[in-house]
Amino acid sequence: ETVNEDALEPRAPVVTIMGHVDHGKTTLLDYLRKTNVTEGEAGGITQHIGAYQARLDGRLITFLDTPGHAAFSEMRARGANVTDITVLVVAADDGVQPQTIEAINHAKAAGTPVIVAVNKIDKEGANPDQVMNQLMAYDLVPEEYGGSTIFVKISAKQGQNIDQLLEMILLEADVLELKADPTQPGRGSVIEARLDKGRGPVSTVLVQQGTLHIGDPVVVGNTYGRIRTMQNEKGEDLKEAKPATPVQITGLNAVPSAGDRFVVMADEKSARAAGEEREKRAREEVRNAGSVVTLDTLFNTMAEKAMKTVPVIVKADVQGSVEALAGALKKIEVEGVKVDVVHAAVGAINESDVSLAGASGAIIIGFNVRPTPFAKNQAQTDKIDMRFYNVIYDAIDDVTDAMKGQLE
Ligand code: GTP
Ligand code: NA
Ligand code: MG
């Protein structure tokens, strides 16, 4: 991809907020959303789209309203480096906690600068200085102690010093000299996506380069389509979206995954071809990697991957059978490898069971139940192994034999 220096323009920073449970991430985002997003638009309904922009002195800041550390790293693992700056929220009355450290590690791995928001300073017992001292052990050293990390003491609940936090984000953004070329075809990443009954696949995407327009043919991960509607977080229709703008789009043939990359193509035909090609390739990769575990391949996979547990999903017709089967499976142990019942419930094998199997690599065991037609199709497509039994001991024996490499 060639860069045209002359066409580069400054863009808004993209910020992810992370921190320990209950330290105030959502409260901070809620405060920003209320005061900075709908400002001057009394009655304007702010809808949740997983990302939105706040404004200070006419400058925009894009906040990703998603993650949780796992989602953050999952997206990075898929090549979607969307975050420029991490805001680490630490409650002043609780100090550094395990997920604070986790967040620091995720931010370090991503190479993003960290701004610390020491929150809840309005509370009795708040000790912001102690938070600053604790964080020095993690190389987050405030300027007053000779370091370079920006700390802002805030109350997300009362809105104290929030403008100062935004100012600091913009200051950090200036250092990063964030630029993008809006003249290119749009490209970026999926922040979140879901299936809407009326509108079909609805995705929040972040435009990272170029400009995305209504009607643009796009390939998004393994999905494709033409941008049918495009809205901002206020639900306003947009004709185009420039770099660092989060938008909600419709018009794709299927639901993409968070972290999928999107690219505008020359025409719909090539978007479709690219989408189908990618889907085919993804399937082949799964097949070639042998990452789909079946009872038939279980023993070899166990050896190859040095598995500690064999994931299994149990569905049965009545609760008593669910418990008996899950209980017996959990007792199986073959050379230190045990069965992990990732999900066990009453009822037919449904779409959600198959998705879970896909995500966890589990084998599905049905006792006196069958899959729904949709689940059956999806399991075939995803090559999920489903086994059906009406004698509990047969199920136990098959799993045990498969783990020993003795399946008939
Ligand atoms: P998780 O999403 O569960 O990880 O939590 P969170 O980090 O999003 O915390 P959340 O915003 O839900 O806040 C947790 C609690 O702390 C809520 O009861 C908030 O009202 C309270 N809280 C958040 N910020 C402040 C603050 O600045 N001052 C005070 N007094 N309470 C706050
Ligand atoms: Na909470
Ligand atoms: Mg929260």
Side-chain angles (χ1 to χ4, degrees):
E1 189 184 332
T2 54
V3 179
N4 177 2
E5 293 285 339
D6 294 337
L8 288 178
E9 286 180 14
R11 65 164 174 85
V14 180
V15 178
T16 300
I17 297 183
M18 299 207 283
H20 191 71
V21 179
D22 279 351
H23 278 198
K25 302 175 291 291
T26 302
T27 307
L28 174 59
L29 284 163
D30 283 348
Y31 182 84
L32 291 167
R33 192 180 290 124
K34 272 202 294 275
T35 54
N36 294 73
V37 176
T38 55
E39 198 173 49
E41 294 160 33
I45 297 160
T46 304
Q47 69 182 54
H48 176 82
I49 74 163
Y52 63 93
Q53 293 186 304
R55 190 185 290 274
L56 184 78
D57 302 333
R59 290 181 65 187
L60 287 169
I61 302 170
T62 303
F63 286 94
L64 298 187
D65 189 3
T66 32
H69 314 151
F72 180 84
S73 286
E74 162 84 1
M75 285 181 68
R76 278 204 327 113
R78 316 190 75 220
N81 280 316
V82 290
T83 304
D84 300 309
I85 296 167
T86 301
V87 169
L88 178 69
V89 176
V90 188
D93 63 337
D94 199 27
V96 171
Q97 296 295 332
Q99 277 178 274
T100 312
I101 298 162
E102 230 180 271
I104 294 168
N105 292 336
H106 283 273
K108 273 187 187 163
T112 69
V114 174
I115 293 176
V116 181
V118 182
N119 190 30
K120 307 199 188 185
I121 56 165
D122 61 290
K123 276 184 91 168
E124 214 173 299
N127 189 348
D129 292 335
Q130 194 191 343
V131 172
M132 291 171 128
N133 276 315
Q134 289 176 327
L135 285 174
M136 295 198 356
Y138 302 94
D139 296 327
L140 296 173
V141 182
E143 282 168 336
E144 58 216 83
Y145 299 149
S148 58
T149 304
I150 300 169
F151 283 72
V152 187
K153 298 170 189 173
I154 65 165
S155 166
K157 197 165 183 176
Q158 301 186 345
Q160 206 178 334
N161 294 340
I162 303 297
D163 276 3
Q164 196 192 335
L165 175 63
L166 298 181
E167 253 170 59
M168 291 304 139
I169 291 170
L170 289 172
L171 203 69
E172 188 68 58
D174 287 340
V175 175
L176 296 173
E177 294 189 66
L178 304 167
K179 288 187 176 136
D181 176 357
T183 66
Q184 288 179 23
R187 53 171 63 217
S189 300
V190 176
I191 305 302
E192 61 178 25
R194 64 190 164 83
L195 190 61
D196 181 278
K197 278 214 172 96
R199 296 190 295 161
V202 175
S203 318
T204 297
V205 302
L206 177 72
V207 181
Q208 294 177 276
Q209 275 293 341
T211 300
L212 187 63
H213 307 86
I214 286 282
D216 275 349
V218 284
V219 56
V220 188
N222 305 332
T223 74
Y224 58 87
R226 195 180 268 283
I227 306 293
R228 190 169 62 218
T229 64
M230 183 156 64
Q231 294 184 326
N232 63 14
E233 72 267 16
K234 293 169 211 155
E236 296 164 345
D237 287 313
L238 303 180
K239 288 207 166 63
E240 56 171 43
K242 293 238 152 71
T245 312
V247 286
Q248 195 180 66
I249 59 161
T250 64
L252 300 180
N253 73 319
V255 182
S257 306
D260 274 350
R261 311 268 305 139
F262 75 83
V263 188
V264 170
M265 304 292 284
D267 51 58
E268 202 168 354
K269 210 172 128 198
S270 38
R272 184 193 188 113
E276 285 173 349
E277 175 59 29
R278 283 179 181 204
E279 194 181 357
K280 203 174 98 201
R281 228 184 306 148
R283 287 239 177 84
E284 271 162 17
E285 270 169 29
V286 168
R287 241 196 319 269
N288 295 342
S291 56
V292 176
V293 179
T294 66
L295 274 196
D296 297 308
T297 63
L298 183 57
F299 181 72
N300 289 336
T301 313
M302 274 166 54
E304 253 168 53
K305 295 191 176 174
M307 286 166 78
K308 293 270 183 301
T309 57
V310 171
V312 168
I313 292 170
V314 174
K315 294 299 290 274
D317 54 343
V318 293
Q319 187 58 30
S321 302
V322 171
E323 281 164 18
L325 186 51
L329 285 168
K330 281 180 196 161
K331 291 203 187 97
I332 299 177
E333 181 169 350
V334 175
E335 286 170 30
V337 182
K338 293 183 131 189
V339 172
D340 178 21
V341 178
V342 294
H343 178 58
V346 172
I349 295 162
N350 59 32
E351 195 185 336
S352 146
D353 298 323
V354 176
S355 300
L356 180 61
S360 62
I363 294 156
I364 301 178
I365 293 181
F367 181 77
N368 285 336
V369 292
R370 307 299 298 178
T372 64
F374 196 94
K376 190 175 173 184
N377 265 335
Q378 199 190 328
Q380 262 159 12
T381 309
D382 297 350
K383 307 210 153 29
I384 304 297
D385 193 5
M386 288 196 288
R387 301 271 168 152
F388 308 100
Y389 300 91
N390 42 36
V391 177
I392 286 188
Y393 293 109
D394 289 345
I396 312 295
D397 285 349
D398 272 7
V399 173
T400 310
D401 288 347
M403 287 169 72
K404 290 180 179 160
Q406 296 170 348
L407 195 68
E408 303 272 286

